[in-house]
Amino acid sequence: MDVLEREAGLRRELSPRQLTMIAIGGAIGTGLFLGSSISIRLAGPAVVVSYFIGAVIAFLMTLALGELAVRHPTAGSFGVHAEIYQGPWAGFTVRWSYWFAQTIAIGGEVIATGIYARFWFPTVPLWVFVVLFSAVLVAVNAMHVGAFGAFEYWFAMIKVTAIVLFILFGIAILTGLHPAQVPGASGYAGFAPHGIPGIWLGVVMAMFSYLGTEIVAVTSGEAADPARAIPRAMRATVLRLILFYVASMALLIALVPWREVGLDRSPFVKVFEMIGFPGAASVMNFVVLTAALSSINANLYLTSRMLFSLARSGDAPAAFGRLSARGTPVAALLASTGGMAVAAALSKLIAGDAFVALVGVAIFGGLYVWAQIFLTHLLFSYQRRRGAGGAVGGQTAGVGLRTAGSAL
């Protein structure tokens, strides 16, 4: 059955600018604002190298996925691509692995929102914030996709603006344009205190920051003009992420001693605490909170569409493939809140280690899916060279591949 017909019913309402901001919203979140603390502790100042290596891998992945998504614009995305070019079993494992990993990642991000909120309300139990934020974001995702896209666009815009201002502000301090007493690079014990192994361990954690860029391919099933919008959104997303991540890590290392970075709060908030600007730390904490909420919002979209695709292909209960009157797979959305339930339980049982435990599971699943994207693209390229065009998405194939090649 043609996959485009199999997943019919989703509304194509997302514009190119919304696709780009949704992708940035899915990627820029706790991986940068809180997970970067783990990378810094593992690699030391060499975390800049770790993030650059991660950027190269992410860029290559978007090149591969961009071509596939234009050829086959479906909600199942890389899971459907694996099914087409590797076989049904590959499509099954990729989609279920990704759904599970991202569902768990959502749990980790919800815990991060609780950590941020306790900056202002330290006496409130962590699980209270986990439940509160979860309920709000599920309600947002239950709306029609156009409303979701508009909401996510402005949510993501807040953190993009904040990162740009952080970079400009950090440059002003380092160049002396704005005088401030900061510890800087004192006491580093070398650029790579843990050697090459530390840098590569930092890469693994840095990849958690880049996970989410693949959301552009998933939105292709609801993009208004996938042949034009997908390559454009892919390119804009990955270039901005490389700039934001590498520049932010360089400034953090220059402003904050890496040994003082921990998971008690975001290192970005710590910068403003150490500088001593009244209220600046609270403003930055608000920004990282909205960043986490934006990332959760985007990942709920991801997981619900992946489960919807599984149901439409017969690999999940049929109820998850049904759409509401607004064109939203509500049953798949509710099932994708499982990570939030796990997060609520862990935040009460092992509050101190809950974030790291959930992030570890998410990284494993995400990297498996990325490896499958590269393998699928190799097979896709092999068939294309032999002139074996797939039947799926045939009407967009020719123009899509040309557009992907020129744009990417």
Side-chain angles (χ1 to χ4, degrees), residues 68-404:
L68 290 165
V70 170
R71 182 67 178 269
H72 311 292
T74 69
S77 183
F78 38 82
V80 173
H81 307 155
E83 178 183 343
I84 295 170
Y85 294 101
Q86 296 188 53
W89 178 244
F92 177 85
T93 58
V94 166
R95 277 176 286 186
W96 272 116
S97 297
Y98 190 78
W99 179 84
F100 179 76
Q102 287 290 46
T103 299
I104 296 299
I106 289 170
E109 289 166 340
V110 172
I111 287 179
T113 62
I115 294 173
Y116 299 149
R118 293 187 72 190
F119 176 82
W120 299 298
F121 308 101
T123 59
V124 177
L126 184 63
W127 67 268
V128 173
F129 292 114
V130 170
V131 173
L132 175 63
F133 290 135
S134 297
V136 172
L137 292 174
V138 169
V140 170
N141 263 267
M143 297 186 292
H144 65 86
V145 70
F148 161 80
F151 184 89
E152 184 61 25
Y153 178 87
W154 293 109
F155 236 178
M157 185 64 76
I158 292 174
K159 56 188 173 185
V160 168
T161 302
I163 291 176
V164 172
L165 292 176
F166 174 82
I167 292 173
L168 295 176
F169 186 69
I171 292 174
I173 293 175
L174 293 177
T175 57
L177 294 176
H178 182 89
Q181 295 295 323
V182 294
S186 60
Y188 270 158
F191 179 71
H194 301 305
I196 299 300
I199 293 176
W200 282 108
L201 286 173
V203 170
V204 175
M205 282 305 306
M207 294 309 298
F208 179 65
S209 299
Y210 290 103
L211 291 176
T213 52
E214 66 281 350
I215 191 175
V216 176
V218 179
T219 59
S220 64
E222 291 168 276
D225 183 6
R228 181 177 66 92
I230 298 303
R232 180 175 163 186
M234 282 281 192
R235 181 178 58 183
T237 298
V238 74
L239 292 178
R240 290 176 190 178
L241 289 179
I242 291 172
L243 172 64
F244 293 160
Y245 284 1
V246 176
S248 296
M249 287 301 103
L251 288 170
L252 279 176
I253 289 301
L255 295 171
V256 181
W258 66 274
R259 286 195 176 95
E260 296 185 14
V261 174
L263 285 174
D264 56 329
R265 63 194 57 187
S266 169
F268 288 80
V269 175
K270 193 171 185 64
V271 167
F272 287 98
E273 283 184 327
M274 298 175 71
I275 293 173
F277 281 0
S282 289
V283 172
M284 194 63 202
N285 195 65
F286 170 77
V287 170
V288 298
L289 174 60
T290 58
L293 293 172
S294 169
S295 182
I296 296 166
N297 195 42
N299 286 329
L300 275 174
Y301 172 90
L302 268 175
T303 51
S304 63
R305 268 53 178 186
M306 199 59 61
L307 190 54
F308 164 81
S309 176
L310 280 162
R312 286 295 178 94
S313 64
D315 293 324
F320 298 140
R322 296 179 188 140
L323 298 171
S324 69
R326 298 176 177 178
T328 302
V330 175
L333 170 64
L334 294 177
S336 299
T337 62
M340 293 176 165
V342 172
L346 291 181
S347 62
K348 191 169 181 63
L349 298 175
I350 52 168
D353 299 320
F355 177 75
V356 176
L358 293 173
V359 165
V361 175
I363 289 175
F364 175 80
L367 294 183
Y368 167 74
V369 169
W370 277 29
Q372 289 296 318
I373 290 172
F374 282 118
L375 177 58
T376 301
H377 186 264
L378 285 174
L379 297 172
F380 163 75
S381 300
Y382 174 73
Q383 287 196 19
R384 184 177 57 179
R385 284 196 301 270
R386 295 188 62 187
V392 181
Q395 65 180 21
T396 63
V399 64
L401 287 173
R402 288 193 296 273
T403 304

Side-chain angles (χ1 to χ4, degrees), residues 55-68:
V56 172
I57 298 172
F59 180 67
L60 294 175
M61 188 279 298
T62 56
L63 287 177
L65 188 54
E67 285 195 271
L68 290 165

